[in-house]
Amino acid sequence: MSTATSNAIDWRAAWTAALDDLEMDVLAVETMLADERRMAETPPSNLWRPPTELGALPLDLKPRADGILTRQLAVAEEIARRLTANRQQMAVTSRIETGEAVKRPVYLDCAM
């Protein structure tokens, strides 16, 4: 095998491994979003870091990279939607009377 062929195989293998890692991270977030209890109990610990010195993405891996990007964007949109829903729910629940002593100022107008 020539050196050029060997380098091309190593380059493609490095990109394939990088996409594998990235896809696993997206899958982990998708799984956590599907199971809210698991997400609360086990937050992600290993953040994906892009590999260095890989060079350009091989053209035959572009469809896969595009698919991963589409999933990442969908996950980010879902996280934003859930954050908004949580804020709205917090606003509603903060207005619920619990029956406990209400800590609101009470004024009595004695001038009348």
Side-chain angles (χ1 to χ4, degrees), residues 48-59:
W48 183 81
R49 286 177 178 57
T52 58
E53 301 179 16
L54 280 183
L57 177 71
L59 288 178

Side-chain angles (χ1 to χ4, degrees), residues 91-112:
V92 169
T93 57
S94 70
R95 290 179 274 178
I96 295 175
E97 296 287 334
T98 62
E100 295 178 15
V102 178
K103 297 178 181 177
R104 287 186 241 174
V106 179
Y107 300 97
L108 178 59
D109 186 356
C110 296
M112 296 180 111

Side-chain angles (χ1 to χ4, degrees), residues 45-85:
S45 59
N46 295 335
L47 298 176
W48 183 81
R49 286 177 178 57
T52 58
E53 301 179 16
L54 280 183
L57 177 71
L59 288 178
D60 63 322
L61 294 178
K62 187 177 182 325
R64 181 177 177 202
D66 288 342
I68 293 170
L69 176 61
T70 300
R71 288 173 58 196
Q72 282 182 314
L73 294 172
V75 165
E77 187 176 311
E78 180 64 15
I79 289 171
R81 188 193 66 74
R82 289 190 186 193
L83 285 171
T84 300

